[in-house]
Amino acid sequence: MKKNRFLALLLAGMMCLGLAACGSDPAPAEGEGEDATSGEAIVMKLGTTVNEEDSFQVAAEKFAELVEERTEGAYKIEIHPNGTLGDERTMLESMQMGELDLGIITSGPFVNFSADMGVLDMPFLFSSNEDVYKVLDGEIGKDLLKTLESSNLKGLAYAERGFRNLTNSVRPVKKADDVKDLKVRVMENEVYTASFKAMGVNAVPMAWNDALTALQQNTIQGQENPINVIYSYKLWESQKYATLTRHAYASAIITMSLDSYNKLPEDVQKIFDEAAQEAAEYERNWTAEHEAEQLEAMKTNGMEVVENPDLESFQAAVQSVYDAYPQYADYITRIQEALA
């Protein structure tokens, strides 16, 4: 009798435990359904390769401000400038693997992750900022960003690096023939390299941090970048001559690890999308407002600036690049039709 009573009590206890277990919520797996309901802000890292004077920093700070404000402090963006998280390609690979949340990356390296993105690097594709924004903020730009998802990257918005210009330490450049045999750093990008080789330049693909050292040591003679980069890095210290070739437009894509993006609740994803676009437009306006004074500072600090080079000679020199990349023909046609 005592034995039967003991067994009955034991079974009753086990049933209670089972019912309690059925009624409880399972603990989420680590990193799953990431949210800030615990009351502690989720911190996400954003990397750039530029210094705090650069327009990328302006975009990063505005994006961080908007995200924190609109999520009521549930999400915070921690900015890491100066290449402390690696060069641009390294950061993209880190985002691809889910090891880094965000970055603001110049368009050049993206061709290594989506072949279609290379169309944006074609020389003299755009003639004005207004044309650029019409294409990048429209259907074509959105289609290109979607191609990054196959590489586990999420393109949020196009900020601005700007129209790129040539500097060098050897001679003034007024026409295409003047650049022949100059040793010039270009981004690690096939189209950029092909464009400069077509002009007879000794093009050296190189990460930006390495290029700064090479310029100072005079192991390369020139580089090409927008005015805001020439200014913020005081390139007049190693470069005597600048030419406003505006040979290519470089966007700066506010990029996210697709893994990190997919962990966000849907309403927070929308906040990130909208904050990125607003930050991009804010940075574009900031760049436009400061370009004239930055150009003047270049001159004041001893740079000889050729403001109206013979662009037709440059355009003729790079025509072979269009023939070499027929895979971009459809996108180029769409761009031309959008701007007609």
Side-chain angles (χ1 to χ4, degrees):
M1 187 76 176
K2 287 184 179 179
K3 182 178 180 181
N4 290 340
R5 187 177 178 186
F6 173 77
L7 287 173
L9 289 170
L10 181 62
L11 287 170
M14 290 175 66
M15 287 177 66
C16 289
L17 287 170
L19 287 170
C22 291
S24 64
D25 293 326
E30 186 177 353
E32 183 182 332
E34 193 170 286
D35 60 39
T37 55
S38 65
E40 186 174 337
I42 291 172
V43 178
M44 308 187 91
K45 291 184 178 181
L46 183 154
T48 76
T49 60
V50 300
N51 62 29
E52 293 87 340
E53 304 301 315
D54 193 272
S55 64
F56 283 20
Q57 183 76 13
V58 172
E61 289 178 359
K62 175 56 72 171
F63 177 69
E65 173 192 321
L66 292 173
V67 166
E68 183 170 358
E69 174 187 303
R70 293 176 184 178
T71 63
E72 298 181 346
Y75 290 83
K76 292 187 177 182
I77 307 300
E78 188 177 274
I79 302 168
H80 295 260
N82 296 302
T84 55
L85 301 182
D87 61 30
E88 290 191 316
R89 183 163 180 168
T90 298
M91 285 194 289
L92 283 170
E93 289 170 349
S94 296
M95 283 185 266
Q96 190 178 33
M97 293 183 288
E99 296 172 354
L100 174 63
D101 298 303
L102 293 138
I104 301 181
I105 311 292
T106 312
S107 57
F110 283 95
V111 72
N112 300 295
F113 300 85
S114 164
D116 289 349
M117 293 296 293
V119 68
L120 296 179
D121 300 315
M122 295 298 282
F124 300 101
L125 181 63
F126 299 107
S127 59
S128 70
N129 290 70
E130 291 71 27
D131 284 353
V132 169
Y133 306 151
K134 185 174 182 180
V135 170
L136 296 188
D137 292 341
E139 183 181 345
I140 298 170
K142 289 179 173 62
D143 286 348
L144 285 168
L145 291 182
K146 285 178 185 175
T147 67
L148 295 172
E149 295 186 16
S150 62
S151 292
N152 209 37
L153 297 169
K154 176 70 176 177
L156 298 178
Y158 296 94
E160 185 162 86
R161 181 77 289 173
F163 278 98
R164 303 179 76 87
N165 304 289
L166 179 70
T167 70
N168 81 95
S169 59
V170 179
R171 56 179 175 263
V173 171
K174 298 180 180 179
K175 58 186 182 301
D177 282 346
D178 296 335
V179 303
K180 287 183 177 177
D181 299 322
L182 287 177
K183 191 173 184 180
V184 176
R185 176 266 177 181
V186 298
M187 284 195 293
E188 296 172 289
N189 173 289
E190 186 180 313
V191 175
Y192 274 84
T193 304
S195 298
F196 276 86
K197 284 185 175 179
M199 290 185 271
V201 170
N202 180 3
V204 183
M206 188 182 295
W208 180 235
N209 286 346
D210 296 333
L212 289 169
T213 302
L215 287 169
Q216 292 164 358
Q217 295 176 347
N218 203 32
T219 54
I220 55 175
Q221 297 168 318
Q223 63 84 54
E224 44 84 45
N225 254 309
I227 287 171
N228 62 71
V229 176
I230 297 168
Y231 169 82
S232 63
Y233 282 91
K234 301 180 180 179
L235 292 187
W236 51 76
E237 294 177 354
S238 63
Q239 306 280 274
K240 173 70 174 175
Y241 307 100
T243 305
L244 304 190
T245 49
R246 293 170 64 86
H247 52 269
Y249 176 86
S251 63
I253 302 176
I254 302 176
T255 313
M256 194 167 185
S257 163
L258 189 58
D259 287 342
S260 297
Y261 183 83
N262 286 339
K263 289 177 183 177
L264 298 175
E266 191 173 329
D267 60 329
V268 178
Q269 287 180 350
K270 185 179 180 183
I271 288 172
F272 272 61
D273 292 339
E274 293 175 350
Q277 183 63 32
E278 289 183 38
E281 294 178 14
Y282 180 86
E283 184 250 8
R284 292 174 192 170
N285 291 331
W286 184 94
T287 299
E289 289 172 3
H290 289 79
E291 189 168 278
E293 64 187 57
Q294 291 171 345
L295 180 60
E296 190 59 35
M298 288 161 55
K299 296 175 184 177
T300 301
N301 283 281
M303 270 190 145
E304 293 183 21
V305 181
V306 177
E307 296 191 47
N308 296 294
D310 177 7
L311 292 184
E312 289 185 3
S313 68
F314 286 97
Q315 291 166 342
V318 299
Q319 186 55 49
S320 61
V321 179
Y322 280 81
D323 300 331
Y325 291 93
Q327 64 266 40
Y328 298 142
D330 288 344
Y331 271 113
I332 291 169
T333 298
R334 287 180 64 190
I335 290 169
Q336 291 171 340
E337 288 175 351
L339 299 177

